[in-house]
Amino acid sequence: MTTTFVPESPVRPDRPGPFGIGTIEFPFWTGGPGFTLAKISYPAEYDGWLAPADKSEGSYPSIVFAPATWTGSNMYDWFTDYVVRHGYIVFRYFPENILALDPHVHADTISDAIDKLIDIDDDRFNPLRGLIKQDAFAAVGVSLGGAGALIAAAKDTRIRAVMGFAPGRNVKEPDLYARIDADVAKVAAPTLIVSGQNDKISPGSGVHYLNLVPRGYKAYVEISGGNHVQFLDPSDMDIHLPGLPRDGKPGIDFAEQHAITNVYATAFLHAALKGYGHCEGYVSGEDAMTALKNGRLSDLRSEAGPLPLPFPPATSGVRGAVAAAGTAAASGNLVEAATTVTSALLLRVNGLVRDVARGVERATVAVEKRIVG
């Protein structure tokens, strides 16, 4: 498949996007003993804290980003900034326990983040209300977070696309990863896995996970000279994660590995979430084959499937439900209209109750600790 740039479509994935980057941070529950900090970046009229949203595209697909073990959300600006400038909202979080070694922790947090994004989109007092496209969520992660993103995509049908950058796999925990493999074998969303040729921390894990994903659209891109650690932000440190082997010596620098990853990731997201089919050629068409022949990539694999997936039949959120109810009422089906709105309102109430319950639990734990202490 050749890449033919369509003038009416967005800026090419291999060029900087046109949007500014607005940011907002807030406490976020991640399933641990309390709250941590989350950050949302969104297309804006200019760069800045709470900058006015750019509503030229109406609403935007959202990405929930899961970090690697021993890292936080602040180490991936190279990716998040790039895709936001191309018209995506990114929700990223700093895990409460950066030492956690079970990817299921990230899978649960990703689903919680999607819940939060839907709540935000329906909140009349939130500046991001109406900006979130509620049928276009993606899960993305690095290393252990990449494995968590794959698990989340297997369990949460709201996830319409999933990407893993050097998705982690620990052969020293066969029982845990047997369960993870069983989860990944249920992934139905379009999948892209990006790995580095010299990855010595999770060697072969990208191809392993790709082979587990059932038939459908899936692709594997391996960057010549790339390694595991260089999926983080640039650093002069030789990062050595306790209990893991040292990473392979890279044949390219951080900037080049990031630039290559961003092109394939953005092209995949454009095809999977925005329906720009011509962008798929970057990932598995003639452009990708040329990169393989020229040595930019050391491995390239793909399997055809629908891009994007058919939209889910149910509309998420209160505002979406009201729109669907209006359609039903106009056709004379008043019972369906009332049921649609009632169900959405119940979901919203359940979300608020969940948040209150979590706050109460947090306070209870704090009191118990004081009593015991």
Side-chain angles (χ1 to χ4, degrees):
M1 178 179 181
T2 59
T3 298
T4 303
F5 180 65
V6 181
E8 292 77 16
S9 61
V11 172
R12 302 172 60 110
D14 56 354
R15 296 177 183 172
F19 294 99
I21 301 174
T23 57
I24 182 172
E25 293 182 89
F26 51 90
F28 173 64
W29 180 274
T30 61
F35 290 86
T36 188
L37 191 66
K39 181 178 182 179
I40 292 180
S41 301
Y42 56 91
E45 295 179 3
Y46 52 82
D47 293 354
W49 172 261
L50 281 178
D54 186 323
K55 299 184 178 181
S56 59
E57 290 190 12
S59 58
Y60 300 88
S62 296
I63 299 163
V64 179
F65 187 91
T69 305
W70 290 81
T71 72
S73 59
N74 59 327
M75 302 184 76
Y76 304 95
D77 290 344
W78 63 270
F79 168 73
T80 58
D81 286 359
Y82 194 88
V83 293
V84 171
R85 292 196 187 281
H86 276 272
Y88 294 88
I89 295 168
V90 177
F91 184 114
R92 45 183 163 154
Y93 57 89
F94 201 100
E96 289 183 35
N97 181 6
I98 64 172
L99 308 181
L101 297 177
D102 186 345
H104 288 92
V105 173
H106 286 294
D108 294 340
T109 303
I110 288 169
S111 288
D112 286 342
I114 293 175
D115 290 341
K116 184 65 176 179
L117 285 165
I118 292 174
D119 286 347
I120 287 172
D121 195 52
D122 284 330
D123 185 352
R124 70 171 60 187
F125 301 109
N126 195 291
L128 302 186
R129 183 176 189 257
L131 201 66
I132 297 162
K133 189 173 175 61
Q134 294 192 20
D135 57 7
F137 293 106
V140 181
V142 174
S143 192
L144 193 83
L150 289 166
I151 297 169
K155 295 184 173 184
D156 194 329
T157 57
R158 297 173 299 181
I159 294 172
R160 314 296 294 160
V162 57
M163 290 194 295
F165 300 154
R169 181 173 175 78
N170 189 350
V171 296
K172 295 180 180 180
E173 299 186 68
D175 293 340
L176 171 61
Y177 279 85
R179 297 197 302 274
I180 293 170
D181 287 353
D183 288 331
V184 176
K186 299 174 184 176
V187 172
T191 303
L192 174 65
I193 296 175
V194 183
S195 295
Q197 181 185 24
N198 298 338
D199 186 340
K200 300 301 180 185
I201 293 178
S202 293
S205 64
V207 171
H208 175 84
Y209 286 129
L210 182 83
N211 291 336
L212 289 174
V213 175
R215 292 184 61 85
Y217 184 87
K218 57 181 180 178
Y220 174 77
V221 171
E222 186 177 276
I223 301 172
S224 296
N227 70 356
H228 193 95
V229 170
Q230 287 192 165
F231 283 107
L232 278 63
D233 269 354
S235 171
D236 293 328
M237 298 172 56
D238 179 16
I239 299 176
H240 181 210
L241 305 181
L244 294 176
R246 286 193 177 276
D247 200 7
K249 184 177 180 180
I252 58 176
D253 60 19
F254 276 89
E256 187 173 0
Q257 184 163 336
H258 294 168
I260 294 171
T261 303
N262 278 333
V263 172
Y264 291 105
T266 305
F268 171 75
L269 291 169
H270 276 351
L273 295 182
K274 291 192 174 183
Y276 297 114
H278 66 284
C279 288
E280 190 273 336
Y282 283 90
V283 182
S284 58
E286 289 186 10
D287 293 83
M289 292 302 298
T290 299
L292 183 65
K293 293 176 183 177
N294 292 343
R296 192 176 180 87
L297 301 180
S298 53
D299 197 354
L300 175 68
R301 310 180 188 201
S302 65
E303 184 173 308
L307 276 175
L309 288 174
F311 288 132
T315 305
S316 302
V318 175
R319 291 182 301 103
V322 170
T327 301
S331 65
N333 195 336
L334 299 179
V335 173
E336 179 183 343
T339 301
T340 300
V341 173
T342 301
S343 298
L345 289 173
L346 286 174
L347 287 174
R348 176 67 170 157
V349 170
N350 287 340
L352 294 172
V353 170
R354 180 192 65 230
D355 291 342
V356 171
R358 287 171 171 172
V360 171
E361 181 181 355
R362 176 174 175 269
T364 302
V365 170
V367 171
E368 289 176 348
K369 287 182 177 178
R370 292 194 186 97
I371 294 175
V372 173

